[in-house]
Amino acid sequence: MPQRAEDARHPITRHPITRHPITLGATLGAILDGAARHVLLPLVAGALCIGGVGRLLDRAWGDWFWMAGTAVVLCFLLLQIALTLRRGEFGLDLIAALAMGGALLLGQNLAGIIIALMFAGGEALEGFAQGRARREMTALLDRVPRSAARYDGEQLRDVPLAVLLAGDRILVRQGDVVPVDGLVTKGIAVLDESALTGEALPVSHRVGAAIVSGTTNAGDAFDMQATSTAADSTYAGIVRLVEAAGAARAPMVRLADRYALVFFALTLFVTGAAWIVSRDPVRALAVLVVATPCPLILAVPVAIMSGISRCARRGILVKGGGALEQLSRIRTVIFDKTGTLTDGRARILDMMCDTIDPRELLRIAASLDQVSHHVVARSLVLSAGERGIVLSLPEAAHEQSGAGVTGRLEGHLVVVGSWDYVRAATDDTPFAAEISEWMRRDGAVAVAVGIDRHVAGAFLLADQVRPEAGVVLRQLRDAGISRIVLATGDRADLAAGVGVFLEVDAVVADLKPQDKTAIVEAEKSAGPVLMAGDGVNDAPALAASDLGVAMGARGAAASSEAADIVILVDRLDRLVDALRIARRARRIALQSVYAGVGLSICAMLAAAAGYLIPVEGALLQEGIDAAVILNALRALHGGLWRRAGHAGLAPDELRALDAEHQALLDVVDRIRVTADRSHDVSGPDLDKDLEILDQMLRQRLLPHERQDDREIYARIRRQARMPDLLAGMSRTHMEIRRQIHNLAALRRAVSEHGANALQRRELQRLLYGLEAITRLHFAQEEEIYRLLERER
């Protein structure tokens, strides 16, 4: 029985982490539900069997067993009805009570025990269905950690989770659940995040990476520094949301309750008419029997809970049935930009080097930045990790807050930070003057690097649009979303660039939090509005919208609390999954209601006409109820968009392909750096640069593209049974090979006779073109591969 909202305000006891109340009303309801689903069914089945043996032996006690079994279930049902009416709710179980009471009064003992068995079996079947649907939700509650291994000096002590504070050093042993949010400080954290995100494979996190509570250590032990208390951690928040997810009743469930009144009145009318016309109370009893219980009270909650459970399996936390049903009605979507449509983390957009190799420049800068918790410093460290670069430990490092870091690395004095910070610690050179102009670019953050008082190079970092964003917006439109709006607090020019790239219907920039709320209210005039965001400033708009969706993987706690749906995995495409699951669950619920009620009405009319006796009616209605519940359980499976010919990639394959692209980023960076240097370096230096680049292209890039074309593309074509699928992507492979061949020919000419001005311009044009087509090709592949990712 659902818990009352009022009961939550009268706690008897609380969970030590989640502070979830346990109430007297909820306890009594749980006892009744447990009795109905675990005690009544075997009791009634036993009474039916023993009574049947007595009737075969022509003994009177057979009827007494049937009557006793029916009476026990009737008493239980009357108590349940009284509790329901006390809450101001009305249920169709009253029809079952009338049917059992009528059977006892009319001496229809076999019909009575079958009705009792039907009711007990329906309760047990409904309990199984809802338990099956809640499996993924309740699995989270079973994993709440109780203690943690905290460092006290150099000693380890197991302490209760409640005493952990931000800043504590914690050892996470193999197999332990990460107790609180924090940063990896020693070792590599290999985490199983499947319980939170649905991702099947463990994810590695290096030193400095942020990790969230509730994940399981699948590798060696590592040290972490807590950044939250247990009660404020990500996992505790998720558990609280899960506990509340089933409390709110969906509007569709309340609508079913209103239909129940109409159905109850119809049942009484048909029953009365059958009695008056036939003057046979047994025929009236048959009508009551086939109307008990109605699919209205079974199909909708099972389908809605199945949809919520299905979302949880995909890393999408839906806080209640009302949120799932509202999602199925959405027609307008408003997106925040940073962290929602964009990645929310600064990534290397471009780099410029003097005489140093670009990979070495990144290694030196990231090694020094390990000592800093600044967001840009962490971005450089993560970028180095993505490229597989092994970092060194700096010495005597000193950080000036918000400016940069100075330290010694492998015997060299290194300074990394803003241009003003680095310039003050380095000498003026022609390259320094050139790079100071190059670093001035709107929408990007510049990081300069100095080595032994010489400006060695710089990086431009920017927040980039998520790889899956284009696919997500197209799929939202295909799913029936008629309007997509970008609302952001960023500058208008930056927002306009993202809006044009993604082809949204409207772009609104320079917004304050209250302005976003006004945008939400304005859009409501055209229909239900969904707001998706991840920051604290998005919380008011999420609360004001008809449906708020928070990107909770890296989002703020405030936005997750204000939202109706929290996407736990850092993937925007799960929003499309949630929309499809919600619409399918609602469609299945309505199918079950219409089919079940229609069959029940037909059976009632047949019983009223005398074609069904009470026993036959009871068996028929039990079959209808079973069919309705089994149909509602279909919402647990399927419903996501199926690709042509079932072509696709498994999640581990997608992860491996992403890793290959990340590992090749230094090759693409090398193309750009070689192009930048080609106009002014000496002939021998240019020849050396081209030789190094040629080796990288032939030994790393070309084999990767060849493998993609001959293995990945070929398999996708076979699976889709479309021999021309991805022909355009294969054509891009051909163009990359042609460009590399032309580069080799031009290199030979430069090596033989020296590079003249025309050849240098042609070389730059060729290299810039190769870099552009390679980056675009990688982005296209990532989008296509995510589109073809198979559902786990």
Side-chain angles (χ1 to χ4, degrees):
M1 299 177 69
Q3 181 183 340
R4 298 173 57 193
E6 301 87 71
D7 291 339
R9 295 194 293 268
H10 301 286
I12 295 176
T13 184
R14 295 179 183 272
H15 191 282
I17 294 179
T18 62
R19 301 183 294 275
H20 181 64
I22 300 174
T23 66
L24 181 61
T27 302
L28 183 57
I31 292 174
L32 290 177
D33 282 349
R37 293 166 182 173
H38 303 294
V39 178
L40 288 185
L41 183 58
L43 187 150
V44 174
L48 175 63
C49 293
I50 295 173
V53 171
R55 287 295 298 269
L56 289 175
L57 297 177
D58 198 22
R59 302 292 185 182
W61 52 263
D63 281 317
W64 285 105
F65 268 97
W66 286 346
M67 293 171 63
T70 305
V72 168
V73 175
L74 178 59
C75 291
F76 166 83
L77 185 54
L78 290 175
L79 177 60
Q80 194 176 58
I81 291 171
L83 289 175
T84 302
L85 293 175
R86 184 183 176 187
R87 292 199 303 266
E89 300 173 0
F90 177 81
L92 289 174
D93 287 343
L94 185 58
I95 299 178
L98 291 175
M100 280 185 273
L104 290 175
L105 289 175
L106 297 176
Q108 296 288 321
N109 298 323
L110 179 57
I113 195 64
I114 291 178
I115 298 170
L117 181 67
M118 176 185 66
F119 173 79
E123 289 286 304
L125 186 58
E126 182 183 7
F128 163 77
Q130 292 196 358
R132 173 70 177 83
R134 291 178 185 270
R135 179 189 302 172
E136 285 77 17
M137 304 291 286
T138 56
L140 287 172
L141 305 179
D142 297 333
R143 301 176 64 256
V144 177
R146 301 290 176 177
S147 63
R150 186 181 67 183
Y151 284 99
D152 286 340
E154 295 302 319
Q155 300 294 319
L156 273 176
R157 299 182 186 278
D158 284 334
V159 298
L161 216 58
V163 306
L164 290 179
L165 300 174
D168 286 348
R169 282 201 311 138
I170 301 167
L171 174 67
V172 182
R173 305 180 182 95
Q174 187 176 29
D176 283 355
V177 175
V178 177
V180 293
D181 300 343
L183 301 174
V184 178
T185 57
K186 183 180 179 182
I188 297 177
V190 181
L191 300 180
D192 177 1
E193 302 178 351
S194 58
L196 301 187
T197 68
E199 294 293 335
L201 297 179
V203 181
S204 297
H205 300 270
R206 297 180 181 273
V207 172
I211 58 176
V212 297
S213 53
T215 54
T216 302
N217 182 13
D220 296 332
F222 64 90
D223 289 351
M224 63 172 288
Q225 182 180 25
T227 57
S228 72
T229 63
D232 295 331
S233 67
T234 298
Y235 189 66
I238 291 172
V239 170
R240 286 194 294 270
L241 297 179
V242 169
E243 289 177 327
R249 307 184 71 204
M252 187 182 294
V253 176
R254 292 191 291 268
L255 181 64
D257 290 343
R258 291 195 292 271
Y259 285 158
L261 289 171
V262 176
F263 188 84
F264 180 70
L266 177 64
T267 300
L268 293 182
F269 174 78
V270 176
T271 301
W275 194 349
I276 292 172
V277 172
S278 67
R279 299 185 180 279
D280 182 1
V282 176
R283 185 176 296 189
L285 176 63
V287 174
L288 284 176
V289 168
V290 295
T292 309
C294 176
L296 278 170
I297 63 175
L298 300 175
V300 175
V302 170
I304 293 297
M305 185 53 65
S306 296
I308 293 175
S309 176
R310 182 76 190 285
C311 286
R313 198 185 312 160
R314 298 289 292 170
I316 307 158
L317 180 58
V318 182
K319 294 186 182 179
L324 190 78
E325 187 179 351
Q326 184 67 276
L327 179 59
S328 69
R329 302 173 182 271
I330 292 296
R331 290 295 179 267
T332 299
V333 176
I334 301 175
F335 283 108
D336 173 53
K337 183 177 78 71
T338 305
T340 305
L341 287 179
T342 65
D343 187 63
R345 292 177 290 198
R347 294 184 178 273
I348 295 177
L349 182 66
D350 201 353
M351 66 173 61
M352 190 173 184
C353 307
D354 189 6
T355 58
I356 190 172
D357 179 83
R359 185 180 177 91
E360 178 67 7
L361 180 69
L362 179 57
R363 186 189 74 84
I364 291 173
S367 294
L368 184 58
D369 268 343
Q370 290 180 100
V371 304
S372 173
H373 291 303
H374 192 279
V375 62
V376 176
R378 289 178 58 193
S379 295
L380 283 179
V381 174
L382 290 174
S383 296
E386 290 172 346
R387 289 162 169 80
I389 298 175
V390 179
L391 304 181
S392 302
L393 291 177
E395 299 175 354
H398 171 72
E399 180 176 10
Q400 182 176 329
S401 181
V405 183
T406 301
R408 301 198 68 83
L409 186 75
E410 299 167 352
H412 298 280
L413 178 64
V414 180
V415 55
V416 180
S418 67
W419 173 241
D420 291 337
Y421 181 77
V422 173
R423 183 177 60 180
T426 54
D427 300 326
D428 291 333
T429 63
F431 179 73
E434 180 183 354
I435 208 170
S436 67
E437 295 294 328
W438 176 84
M439 293 172 68
R440 297 174 183 175
R441 190 180 303 184
D442 287 341
V445 176
V447 178
V449 182
I451 303 175
D452 294 331
R453 298 198 60 82
H454 174 78
V455 177
F459 303 93
L460 289 178
L461 297 94
D463 187 15
Q464 300 180 33
V465 174
R466 290 176 179 267
E468 72 271 21
V471 172
V472 169
L473 266 61
R474 288 196 296 273
Q475 291 181 353
L476 285 175
R477 295 190 190 278
D478 292 342
I481 299 300
S482 58
R483 182 170 170 81
I484 298 176
V485 177
L486 174 60
T488 178
D490 281 355
R491 300 199 319 261
D493 55 340
L494 299 179
V498 175
V500 170
F501 181 72
L502 295 174
E503 288 191 311
V504 299
D505 296 300
V507 177
V508 190
D510 295 314
L511 296 177
K512 296 180 175 62
Q514 59 269 29
D515 297 330
K516 288 187 179 182
T517 303
I519 296 297
V520 168
E521 296 295 340
E523 292 291 340
K524 282 184 178 181
S525 60
V529 173
L530 180 151
M531 172 70 193
D534 77 318
V536 174
N537 61 334
D538 297 320
L542 292 174
S545 62
D546 296 298
L547 190 77
V549 176
M551 300 296 293
R554 287 183 284 114
S559 63
S560 297
E561 294 289 343
D564 303 290
I565 296 175
V566 181
I567 299 179
L568 303 177
V569 61
D570 193 23
R571 290 277 299 274
L572 186 61
D573 54 358
R574 296 301 165 87
L575 177 60
V576 181
D577 291 350
L579 180 63
R580 290 183 173 131
I581 291 170
R583 290 186 174 177
R584 186 168 188 266
R586 185 174 187 272
R587 184 168 62 251
I588 288 174
L590 291 176
Q591 288 173 355
S592 298
V593 168
Y594 295 150
V597 171
L599 290 173
S600 294
I601 291 175
C602 291
M604 287 164 57
L605 296 177
Y611 294 110
L612 289 174
I613 62 175
V615 173
E616 296 170 341
L619 295 174
L620 176 61
Q621 185 59 46
E622 181 69 4
I624 292 173
D625 291 339
V628 162
I629 291 179
L630 292 176
N631 182 67
L633 280 174
R634 288 194 302 118
L636 277 172
H637 304 284
L640 296 181
W641 182 58
R642 299 296 182 182
R643 283 79 182 177
H646 301 284
L649 297 171
D652 56 340
E653 293 176 296
L654 178 65
R655 192 187 300 277
L657 291 169
D658 280 343
E660 288 180 21
H661 280 179
Q662 295 293 338
L664 288 168
L665 286 178
D666 66 313
V667 179
V668 186
D669 294 339
R670 185 78 191 195
I671 299 173
R672 165 56 69 91
V673 171
T674 304
D676 291 341
R677 287 163 45 89
S678 64
H679 71 286
D680 57 3
V681 298
S682 63
D685 287 340
L686 178 59
D687 187 55
K688 182 179 179 181
D689 285 349
L690 292 176
E691 180 183 0
I692 294 173
L693 178 60
D694 185 70
Q695 290 178 354
M696 296 177 73
L697 293 174
R698 294 186 180 277
Q699 294 175 10
R700 297 176 60 190
L701 182 61
L702 282 180
H704 166 77
E705 301 300 343
R706 189 177 299 113
Q707 182 183 17
D708 276 1
D709 204 60
R710 295 180 180 178
E711 297 181 14
I712 304 298
Y713 289 10
R715 178 156 58 86
I716 291 173
R717 290 182 180 115
R718 287 194 303 271
Q719 291 173 343
R721 299 177 183 176
M722 298 175 64
D724 297 326
L725 187 65
L726 302 178
M729 300 298 292
S730 295
R731 176 67 178 81
T732 307
H733 286 161
M734 296 165 61
E735 182 63 23
I736 291 174
R737 291 196 299 270
R738 186 179 71 85
Q739 296 274 42
I740 294 175
H741 173 77
N742 291 343
L743 178 62
L746 185 56
R747 178 194 163 212
R748 286 193 297 270
V750 168
S751 300
E752 291 176 6
H753 308 292
N756 57 40
L758 180 61
Q759 287 175 325
R760 288 178 183 267
R761 285 197 299 271
E762 176 62 18
L763 184 60
Q764 274 196 319
R765 184 195 65 79
L766 185 60
L767 289 173
Y768 285 139
L770 178 59
E771 184 216 9
I773 194 173
T774 305
R775 289 193 189 275
L776 177 61
H777 180 63
F778 279 10
Q780 289 173 325
E781 282 190 329
E782 289 167 5
E783 184 168 323
I784 290 172
Y785 291 159
R786 281 179 170 81
L787 184 66
L788 294 176
E789 181 185 1
R790 286 198 301 265
E791 178 194 358
R792 282 183 295 280

